[in-house]
Amino acid sequence: MWQTSPPGSIYDYIRAASFSIGPDGLIEQWSSRAAGLFGIAADKAVGMDPVEAFLPDGLHGDGRRRVEEILDGREWTGLVPFRMPDEDTVHGLAEIYVMPSETEHGERAAICIVVDVRALRRIETDLAASQAIFGQSPFGFVLFGTDLTVIRANQRFATVFGGRADDHRGRTVEDYLSRPEADRLTASLERVLETGTSVTDLQLVGTAPGEPGSRYWSVNLYRVHSGSGRPVGIAGLATDVTRRHIAAREAASARRNLALLNEASARIGNSLDLETTARELLDVAVPGFCDLASVDLYQRMLTGDDAPPGSWDSLRQESVGGSAELRRVALASAVSDALPETDTADGPALGAVHRFSFNSPCAIALRTGRVEDVPGDDRGFVQSTLAVPMVAHDTVVGLVRFSRTKGSEPFGERDRALATELAARAAVCIDNARLYRREHERALILQRSLLPPGDPVAAGLDIACRYLPGNTATEVGGDWFDVIELPGHRTALVVGDVMGRGLRAAVAMGELRTAVRTLALLDLEPAEVLSALDEVARGLGTSGGSGPSRGGSQWPSRAAHKSREADLSEVYLATCVYAVYDPVTRRCTFANAGHLPPAVAEPGRPAMLLDVPPGMPLGVGGEPFEEVEVELKEGSLLALYTDGLVESRHHPLDEGLDALRGALVEPERPVEDVCDQVLSTLDTRHGEDDIALLVARIQGLPDDAVGDWVLPREPRSVGRARELARGRLLAWDLDDLVDTTELLVSELVTNALRYGEGEIRLRLLRDRTLVCEVWDAGLVQPRRRRARDTDEGGRGLQLVGLMSVAWGSRRTPRGKTVWFELALPDGKPPAELSVEQLLSMY
C-alpha cells in the first residue's frame, strides 16, 4: 500500500532537490526544494541554462562541457559549487547525481538529484557523535524499542551481562533481573513511553553472571523521539552504585550505632536497680540492634555477696563442671512467641538459675572477657548470636546475648564493637547498682539496728511508732526517733533527721542518737540537750571528729583555714525536736533545732501545730535554743514526725502540714490505728524519702498514784517522811516495799537536812515501778564515796545504791532532786543483800 514518507525519515534530514534537463540542455523541471536550495523560483528556472542558473561565473565553461557529456548519455556524480542565494562571494557545495534519460521521442535528457554537502556533513557528524557517546560511554547504555525489547546496547552493558553488544538485541528486562525487579523496571518503561516523563535514579538490585553477591544499579530513563517528535523508544543509562550502596549502608549503620549509643547513654542506668538496668539495656537493643536478647547476672551478686561477682583470674579457675551460677534477669524479643516461659533447649526462662557448660561459647566469653560467636541451629530461626561478657572495672558481672533471626543481616565487625560498648555501659551501671544495693542494705541494717525495738512503753503515755525507709530507688536517709525513760517516770521523746542520704548519713544518725541518749540520761533540760548535741554535730564535721577549738591562737593559721574549707563538704547538719513529758503534771517541755513543729490533737478540737521556736539546725552552732512548756490535756494526741511524711517535690510543705492536721481528727482511736490512718491519708509519694512518725496519747498518772508532801527543815521531818511513805505504800498494797522504802527515804531526807537548803519536798510515784524523789533548794549534788572504817556515817548513798534498782540526782530550776527507784513486787520474796554487798560499805 502506497503511503507518504513518515515524518522524521532520512529524507527529511538530507533534503534532496531535483531538476531535469531537456534535449536542448535547458531546465525542463524544477522542484520546490531546488528552488529553496538555489534561490530561484520554478517559473524563472524552467527554460534557463543550468550553468547560468546556479554555477559561479568562473565555472561556466567547464559546466557546459559536463552538460554536453550528460546529454551524450553519460552518468556523472560530483561536487559542484553553486551560488548561495543572496550571496555574491560565498559559494555553496552540492553533490549532484546525474542520471541520463530519454524523452518520449527518443531524445537524450537527464535527471539531476542535488544534495547540499552541508546537510550530509551534519548527518555524518551526528552519527559519529552518537556512535562515540553510545559506544565509548563508561556507563551501561541500552535503547529499548516501543515494544520494550532491546534495540541496541553498548559494550559496557555487554561487559556486565556477558557476550557482545549485538547479542543483546531483542532481549527483555526479564533476561537480566529477577521477577520483582523486572516488573518494577517494566512499569517504569511503560510510564516513560506513555507520558514522556523521565525517571531518574531508579534503584535496581540484581546479579551479574559469574559474580557472587548482589549488584546495585541506578538507572535513568528517558523517551527518544524522531526529528518530527514521534517516540521511537526509551533510552536507559545504568550506573553501578554497588560501592556507593555499601558505603551508604555502612554510613547508615554508623549513624544507627551512634544513635543507639546516644540512646543507651540516656536510657541505661536511670535506676539503681540491677534488674531494671538489665531491662533498660534490652529496651535499647531490641529491635534497633537485634531481634532477641537476654541478660544473665551472677547469682552471688544478686544475693548480696560482698565479694566481686567474678574477676577474670577467678573465672579462669572455675571448675570443669561449667560456669558459676547465673540468673536470667531480662529477656526481650521482637519476634512473636519467642520468649520461653519455662526452660527450653534455646535457653533458660526468665528468673531461672542456670550454668553454662564449660566449653560452651558463653562460658568461654565469661572466662576470657571476649565476645564469642554462638553458632545458629539449622532447625531454629536464629541466624547468628553474640555472647558478650559484661565487664566493669576488670570484673565480669554477667553475660548478654544478642541474636538475629534468619532473614536479618548477620552480625559484622561494627556490630561486635557496638555490642561490646552496649554491654560495657550496662555493666558499669549494673556494678554501680550492685555497690549501691550493698551500701543501701548496710545502711538500712545500721539504721534499723539503732531504732527502738517494737513500740516503747512509757509512764503516762500510750506510744506507737512507724519507720518507713525510702524505696530501693532512693538512698537510706538519716531519720530517727527514740523514746528515753527519765527519772521520775518522765519520758524524753526525740525525732530527728540528718540532712543527706546514704551510709554516711546513717552513721551520723547513729552517733547523734547515741549522743542524745547519753545527754538525756544526764537529766539535762531540753535546751541544754540540744546545745550539747549541736557541739557533737559540729564535731562530726571536722577532721578526725574533733570539735571546735577551745584554746590557742585567736586567728587560725592558713593551713587550718584550708583544712576548714576542705572539711565544709563533711559538715553534718541535722534537725531535731526534743521533748520531756512529766506524767504527774501532764506538762511537756519542747526544744527544737530546725525541725518541723509537733502536732497536738486535743479531744473535741481540731489538731494544731505547736508554736515551738524552730531554732537553727544542729551543726550550725552559735545560736541558743529556746524551751516551750505546754500542758497537755488527758487523751490528747502528740505527733512528732520527719519531713518525709509531709514534704514532697510534688506539693508544698503547707499542704502536707494541713493534711497531717486533717488526719489527726479522731484522737480517741487506738494510737496504732492513728499511725496507719496518717500514713494512708497523706501523699507520701511511695517512699521518696524516709518517714519517721511517733504518736503518743497523753494519759497522765492518776492522782491516787502520786504522793506529794512538803516537809519543814527540821530533824523531826525524817520521821515524818517515814510515816508518810509507810502510809502511802500500805494504801497501795505495797507492803513488801515498806521497810526498804522507809530506810531509803530516811537516808535521802537526812542528807537533804545536812547538806541541802530550804524546805524539803517528798514525792512517791507508782507506775510500772516505785519512784521516790526528795527535793531541796541546795545546789550541791550528792556524791557517793567510800567511808573509812572509823567514820560513823557516809554510807547512806552506798546503801541506796545497793537496795534500789536505780538512783541519781538532777538539777532543778530551784535546787536539786535526789531519787531512787524500786521494782514492784512480783509475788516472789525480795532478794536479800549478800555478805559481800554489806561488806562493800566498809
Side-chain angles (χ1 to χ4, degrees), residues 589-607:
T589 304
F590 296 92
N592 191 353
H595 203 79
L596 295 172
V600 173
E602 297 181 349
R605 299 183 62 183

mmCIF file with all atom_site columns, all heavy atoms in Angstrom, residues 589-607:
data_model
loop_
_atom_site.group_PDB
_atom_site.id
_atom_site.type_symbol
_atom_site.label_atom_id
_atom_site.label_alt_id
_atom_site.label_comp_id
_atom_site.label_asym_id
_atom_site.label_entity_id
_atom_site.label_seq_id
_atom_site.pdbx_PDB_ins_code
_atom_site.Cartn_x
_atom_site.Cartn_y
_atom_site.Cartn_z
_atom_site.occupancy
_atom_site.B_iso_or_equiv
_atom_site.pdbx_formal_charge
_atom_site.auth_seq_id
_atom_site.auth_comp_id
_atom_site.auth_asym_id
_atom_site.auth_atom_id
_atom_site.pdbx_PDB_model_num
ATOM 1   N N   . THR A 1 589 ? 7.834   19.713 127.931 1.00 0.00 ? 589 THR A N   1
ATOM 2   C CA  . THR A 1 589 ? 8.770   20.786 127.603 1.00 0.00 ? 589 THR A CA  1
ATOM 3   C C   . THR A 1 589 ? 9.451   20.452 126.276 1.00 0.00 ? 589 THR A C   1
ATOM 4   O O   . THR A 1 589 ? 10.050  19.375 126.136 1.00 0.00 ? 589 THR A O   1
ATOM 5   C CB  . THR A 1 589 ? 9.815   20.950 128.700 1.00 0.00 ? 589 THR A CB  1
ATOM 6   O OG1 . THR A 1 589 ? 9.155   21.168 129.952 1.00 0.00 ? 589 THR A OG1 1
ATOM 7   C CG2 . THR A 1 589 ? 10.728  22.132 128.398 1.00 0.00 ? 589 THR A CG2 1
ATOM 8   N N   . PHE A 1 590 ? 9.349   21.390 125.327 1.00 0.00 ? 590 PHE A N   1
ATOM 9   C CA  . PHE A 1 590 ? 9.875   21.174 123.977 1.00 0.00 ? 590 PHE A CA  1
ATOM 10  C C   . PHE A 1 590 ? 11.068  22.090 123.732 1.00 0.00 ? 590 PHE A C   1
ATOM 11  O O   . PHE A 1 590 ? 11.103  23.229 124.182 1.00 0.00 ? 590 PHE A O   1
ATOM 12  C CB  . PHE A 1 590 ? 8.812   21.479 122.912 1.00 0.00 ? 590 PHE A CB  1
ATOM 13  C CG  . PHE A 1 590 ? 7.624   20.575 122.961 1.00 0.00 ? 590 PHE A CG  1
ATOM 14  C CD1 . PHE A 1 590 ? 6.498   20.918 123.708 1.00 0.00 ? 590 PHE A CD1 1
ATOM 15  C CD2 . PHE A 1 590 ? 7.612   19.384 122.247 1.00 0.00 ? 590 PHE A CD2 1
ATOM 16  C CE1 . PHE A 1 590 ? 5.390   20.090 123.736 1.00 0.00 ? 590 PHE A CE1 1
ATOM 17  C CE2 . PHE A 1 590 ? 6.508   18.558 122.276 1.00 0.00 ? 590 PHE A CE2 1
ATOM 18  C CZ  . PHE A 1 590 ? 5.393   18.903 123.022 1.00 0.00 ? 590 PHE A CZ  1
ATOM 19  N N   . ALA A 1 591 ? 12.022  21.571 122.960 1.00 0.00 ? 591 ALA A N   1
ATOM 20  C CA  . ALA A 1 591 ? 13.102  22.375 122.377 1.00 0.00 ? 591 ALA A CA  1
ATOM 21  C C   . ALA A 1 591 ? 13.290  21.881 120.942 1.00 0.00 ? 591 ALA A C   1
ATOM 22  O O   . ALA A 1 591 ? 13.238  20.673 120.676 1.00 0.00 ? 591 ALA A O   1
ATOM 23  C CB  . ALA A 1 591 ? 14.394  22.238 123.176 1.00 0.00 ? 591 ALA A CB  1
ATOM 24  N N   . ASN A 1 592 ? 13.508  22.825 120.021 1.00 0.00 ? 592 ASN A N   1
ATOM 25  C CA  . ASN A 1 592 ? 13.504  22.485 118.600 1.00 0.00 ? 592 ASN A CA  1
ATOM 26  C C   . ASN A 1 592 ? 14.769  23.010 117.944 1.00 0.00 ? 592 ASN A C   1
ATOM 27  O O   . ASN A 1 592 ? 15.164  24.156 118.162 1.00 0.00 ? 592 ASN A O   1
ATOM 28  C CB  . ASN A 1 592 ? 12.270  23.093 117.915 1.00 0.00 ? 592 ASN A CB  1
ATOM 29  C CG  . ASN A 1 592 ? 12.058  22.553 116.514 1.00 0.00 ? 592 ASN A CG  1
ATOM 30  O OD1 . ASN A 1 592 ? 12.887  21.823 115.986 1.00 0.00 ? 592 ASN A OD1 1
ATOM 31  N ND2 . ASN A 1 592 ? 10.940  22.904 115.912 1.00 0.00 ? 592 ASN A ND2 1
ATOM 32  N N   . ALA A 1 593 ? 15.399  22.155 117.131 1.00 0.00 ? 593 ALA A N   1
ATOM 33  C CA  . ALA A 1 593 ? 16.593  22.547 116.368 1.00 0.00 ? 593 ALA A CA  1
ATOM 34  C C   . ALA A 1 593 ? 16.272  22.427 114.878 1.00 0.00 ? 593 ALA A C   1
ATOM 35  O O   . ALA A 1 593 ? 16.641  21.445 114.220 1.00 0.00 ? 593 ALA A O   1
ATOM 36  C CB  . ALA A 1 593 ? 17.777  21.663 116.750 1.00 0.00 ? 593 ALA A CB  1
ATOM 37  N N   . GLY A 1 594 ? 15.534  23.403 114.353 1.00 0.00 ? 594 GLY A N   1
ATOM 38  C CA  . GLY A 1 594 ? 15.252  23.459 112.917 1.00 0.00 ? 594 GLY A CA  1
ATOM 39  C C   . GLY A 1 594 ? 14.302  22.409 112.411 1.00 0.00 ? 594 GLY A C   1
ATOM 40  O O   . GLY A 1 594 ? 14.191  22.210 111.194 1.00 0.00 ? 594 GLY A O   1
ATOM 41  N N   . HIS A 1 595 ? 13.584  21.714 113.317 1.00 0.00 ? 595 HIS A N   1
ATOM 42  C CA  . HIS A 1 595 ? 12.706  20.633 112.900 1.00 0.00 ? 595 HIS A CA  1
ATOM 43  C C   . HIS A 1 595 ? 11.280  21.158 112.688 1.00 0.00 ? 595 HIS A C   1
ATOM 44  O O   . HIS A 1 595 ? 10.933  22.279 113.080 1.00 0.00 ? 595 HIS A O   1
ATOM 45  C CB  . HIS A 1 595 ? 12.717  19.517 113.948 1.00 0.00 ? 595 HIS A CB  1
ATOM 46  C CG  . HIS A 1 595 ? 12.308  18.184 113.420 1.00 0.00 ? 595 HIS A CG  1
ATOM 47  N ND1 . HIS A 1 595 ? 13.157  17.386 112.693 1.00 0.00 ? 595 HIS A ND1 1
ATOM 48  C CD2 . HIS A 1 595 ? 11.131  17.507 113.499 1.00 0.00 ? 595 HIS A CD2 1
ATOM 49  C CE1 . HIS A 1 595 ? 12.535  16.270 112.365 1.00 0.00 ? 595 HIS A CE1 1
ATOM 50  N NE2 . HIS A 1 595 ? 11.300  16.336 112.838 1.00 0.00 ? 595 HIS A NE2 1
ATOM 51  N N   . LEU A 1 596 ? 10.465  20.328 112.064 1.00 0.00 ? 596 LEU A N   1
ATOM 52  C CA  . LEU A 1 596 ? 9.062   20.680 111.870 1.00 0.00 ? 596 LEU A CA  1
ATOM 53  C C   . LEU A 1 596 ? 8.338   20.683 113.205 1.00 0.00 ? 596 LEU A C   1
ATOM 54  O O   . LEU A 1 596 ? 8.668   19.894 114.109 1.00 0.00 ? 596 LEU A O   1
ATOM 55  C CB  . LEU A 1 596 ? 8.400   19.680 110.910 1.00 0.00 ? 596 LEU A CB  1
ATOM 56  C CG  . LEU A 1 596 ? 8.956   19.697 109.477 1.00 0.00 ? 596 LEU A CG  1
ATOM 57  C CD1 . LEU A 1 596 ? 8.370   18.557 108.671 1.00 0.00 ? 596 LEU A CD1 1
ATOM 58  C CD2 . LEU A 1 596 ? 8.671   21.028 108.810 1.00 0.00 ? 596 LEU A CD2 1
ATOM 59  N N   . PRO A 1 597 ? 7.322   21.534 113.377 1.00 0.00 ? 597 PRO A N   1
ATOM 60  C CA  . PRO A 1 597 ? 6.676   21.671 114.694 1.00 0.00 ? 597 PRO A CA  1
ATOM 61  C C   . PRO A 1 597 ? 5.870   20.432 115.058 1.00 0.00 ? 597 PRO A C   1
ATOM 62  O O   . PRO A 1 597 ? 5.289   19.769 114.201 1.00 0.00 ? 597 PRO A O   1
ATOM 63  C CB  . PRO A 1 597 ? 5.759   22.889 114.492 1.00 0.00 ? 597 PRO A CB  1
ATOM 64  C CG  . PRO A 1 597 ? 5.481   22.912 113.026 1.00 0.00 ? 597 PRO A CG  1
ATOM 65  C CD  . PRO A 1 597 ? 6.731   22.430 112.366 1.00 0.00 ? 597 PRO A CD  1
ATOM 66  N N   . PRO A 1 598 ? 5.810   20.093 116.369 1.00 0.00 ? 598 PRO A N   1
ATOM 67  C CA  . PRO A 1 598 ? 4.957   18.980 116.805 1.00 0.00 ? 598 PRO A CA  1
ATOM 68  C C   . PRO A 1 598 ? 3.482   19.303 116.551 1.00 0.00 ? 598 PRO A C   1
ATOM 69  O O   . PRO A 1 598 ? 3.068   20.467 116.522 1.00 0.00 ? 598 PRO A O   1
ATOM 70  C CB  . PRO A 1 598 ? 5.263   18.856 118.299 1.00 0.00 ? 598 PRO A CB  1
ATOM 71  C CG  . PRO A 1 598 ? 6.549   19.596 118.502 1.00 0.00 ? 598 PRO A CG  1
ATOM 72  C CD  . PRO A 1 598 ? 6.576   20.675 117.479 1.00 0.00 ? 598 PRO A CD  1
ATOM 73  N N   . ALA A 1 599 ? 2.706   18.255 116.380 1.00 0.00 ? 599 ALA A N   1
ATOM 74  C CA  . ALA A 1 599 ? 1.261   18.415 116.192 1.00 0.00 ? 599 ALA A CA  1
ATOM 75  C C   . ALA A 1 599 ? 0.543   17.833 117.399 1.00 0.00 ? 599 ALA A C   1
ATOM 76  O O   . ALA A 1 599 ? 0.919   16.772 117.911 1.00 0.00 ? 599 ALA A O   1
ATOM 77  C CB  . ALA A 1 599 ? 0.804   17.718 114.916 1.00 0.00 ? 599 ALA A CB  1
ATOM 78  N N   . VAL A 1 600 ? -0.507  18.532 117.859 1.00 0.00 ? 600 VAL A N   1
ATOM 79  C CA  . VAL A 1 600 ? -1.287  18.096 119.018 1.00 0.00 ? 600 VAL A CA  1
ATOM 80  C C   . VAL A 1 600 ? -2.758  18.122 118.638 1.00 0.00 ? 600 VAL A C   1
ATOM 81  O O   . VAL A 1 600 ? -3.246  19.099 118.056 1.00 0.00 ? 600 VAL A O   1
ATOM 82  C CB  . VAL A 1 600 ? -1.040  19.004 120.237 1.00 0.00 ? 600 VAL A CB  1
ATOM 83  C CG1 . VAL A 1 600 ? -1.989  18.623 121.375 1.00 0.00 ? 600 VAL A CG1 1
ATOM 84  C CG2 . VAL A 1 600 ? 0.412   18.884 120.696 1.00 0.00 ? 600 VAL A CG2 1
ATOM 85  N N   . ALA A 1 601 ? -3.456  17.034 118.961 1.00 0.00 ? 601 ALA A N   1
ATOM 86  C CA  . ALA A 1 601 ? -4.900  16.963 118.734 1.00 0.00 ? 601 ALA A CA  1
ATOM 87  C C   . ALA A 1 601 ? -5.571  16.690 120.074 1.00 0.00 ? 601 ALA A C   1
ATOM 88  O O   . ALA A 1 601 ? -5.424  15.599 120.644 1.00 0.00 ? 601 ALA A O   1
ATOM 89  C CB  . ALA A 1 601 ? -5.234  15.854 117.737 1.00 0.00 ? 601 ALA A CB  1
ATOM 90  N N   . GLU A 1 602 ? -6.276  17.683 120.600 1.00 0.00 ? 602 GLU A N   1
ATOM 91  C CA  . GLU A 1 602 ? -6.997  17.523 121.858 1.00 0.00 ? 602 GLU A CA  1
ATOM 92  C C   . GLU A 1 602 ? -8.415  17.022 121.585 1.00 0.00 ? 602 GLU A C   1
ATOM 93  O O   . GLU A 1 602 ? -8.980  17.300 120.516 1.00 0.00 ? 602 GLU A O   1
ATOM 94  C CB  . GLU A 1 602 ? -7.039  18.853 122.603 1.00 0.00 ? 602 GLU A CB  1
ATOM 95  C CG  . GLU A 1 602 ? -5.661  19.372 123.017 1.00 0.00 ? 602 GLU A CG  1
ATOM 96  C CD  . GLU A 1 602 ? -5.757  20.678 123.770 1.00 0.00 ? 602 GLU A CD  1
ATOM 97  O OE1 . GLU A 1 602 ? -6.853  21.273 123.794 1.00 0.00 ? 602 GLU A OE1 1
ATOM 98  O OE2 . GLU A 1 602 ? -4.723  21.115 124.332 1.00 0.00 ? 602 GLU A OE2 1
ATOM 99  N N   . PRO A 1 603 ? -9.004  16.278 122.524 1.00 0.00 ? 603 PRO A N   1
ATOM 100 C CA  . PRO A 1 603 ? -10.361 15.754 122.316 1.00 0.00 ? 603 PRO A CA  1
ATOM 101 C C   . PRO A 1 603 ? -11.359 16.878 122.041 1.00 0.00 ? 603 PRO A C   1
ATOM 102 O O   . PRO A 1 603 ? -11.398 17.887 122.755 1.00 0.00 ? 603 PRO A O   1
ATOM 103 C CB  . PRO A 1 603 ? -10.671 15.023 123.625 1.00 0.00 ? 603 PRO A CB  1
ATOM 104 C CG  . PRO A 1 603 ? -9.329  14.698 124.211 1.00 0.00 ? 603 PRO A CG  1
ATOM 105 C CD  . PRO A 1 603 ? -8.431  15.821 123.813 1.00 0.00 ? 603 PRO A CD  1
ATOM 106 N N   . GLY A 1 604 ? -12.118 16.698 120.973 1.00 0.00 ? 604 GLY A N   1
ATOM 107 C CA  . GLY A 1 604 ? -13.157 17.658 120.647 1.00 0.00 ? 604 GLY A CA  1
ATOM 108 C C   . GLY A 1 604 ? -12.670 18.916 119.961 1.00 0.00 ? 604 GLY A C   1
ATOM 109 O O   . GLY A 1 604 ? -13.470 19.826 119.711 1.00 0.00 ? 604 GLY A O   1
ATOM 110 N N   . ARG A 1 605 ? -11.370 18.997 119.622 1.00 0.00 ? 605 ARG A N   1
ATOM 111 C CA  . ARG A 1 605 ? -10.848 20.190 118.974 1.00 0.00 ? 605 ARG A CA  1
ATOM 112 C C   . ARG A 1 605 ? -9.997  19.774 117.774 1.00 0.00 ? 605 ARG A C   1
ATOM 113 O O   . ARG A 1 605 ? -9.387  18.689 117.775 1.00 0.00 ? 605 ARG A O   1
ATOM 114 C CB  . ARG A 1 605 ? -9.997  21.013 119.948 1.00 0.00 ? 605 ARG A CB  1
ATOM 115 C CG  . ARG A 1 605 ? -10.762 21.515 121.174 1.00 0.00 ? 605 ARG A CG  1
ATOM 116 C CD  . ARG A 1 605 ? -9.882  22.367 122.057 1.00 0.00 ? 605 ARG A CD  1
ATOM 117 N NE  . ARG A 1 605 ? -9.422  23.556 121.342 1.00 0.00 ? 605 ARG A NE  1
ATOM 118 C CZ  . ARG A 1 605 ? -8.587  24.462 121.871 1.00 0.00 ? 605 ARG A CZ  1
ATOM 119 N NH1 . ARG A 1 605 ? -8.120  24.271 123.112 1.00 0.00 ? 605 ARG A NH1 1
ATOM 120 N NH2 . ARG A 1 605 ? -8.230  25.513 121.187 1.00 0.00 ? 605 ARG A NH2 1
ATOM 121 N N   . PRO A 1 606 ? -9.936  20.610 116.737 1.00 0.00 ? 606 PRO A N   1
ATOM 122 C CA  . PRO A 1 606 ? -9.091  20.274 115.581 1.00 0.00 ? 606 PRO A CA  1
ATOM 123 C C   . PRO A 1 606 ? -7.617  20.272 115.964 1.00 0.00 ? 606 PRO A C   1
ATOM 124 O O   . PRO A 1 606 ? -7.199  20.967 116.895 1.00 0.00 ? 606 PRO A O   1
ATOM 125 C CB  . PRO A 1 606 ? -9.407  21.379 114.564 1.00 0.00 ? 606 PRO A CB  1
ATOM 126 C CG  . PRO A 1 606 ? -9.927  22.518 115.388 1.00 0.00 ? 606 PRO A CG  1
ATOM 127 C CD  . PRO A 1 606 ? -10.654 21.900 116.553 1.00 0.00 ? 606 PRO A CD  1
ATOM 128 N N   . ALA A 1 607 ? -6.864  19.483 115.267 1.00 0.00 ? 607 ALA A N   1
ATOM 129 C CA  . ALA A 1 607 ? -5.430  19.396 115.538 1.00 0.00 ? 607 ALA A CA  1
ATOM 130 C C   . ALA A 1 607 ? -4.756  20.723 115.226 1.00 0.00 ? 607 ALA A C   1
ATOM 131 O O   . ALA A 1 607 ? -5.211  21.498 114.376 1.00 0.00 ? 607 ALA A O   1
ATOM 132 C CB  . ALA A 1 607 ? -4.806  18.273 114.708 1.00 0.00 ? 607 ALA A CB  1
#
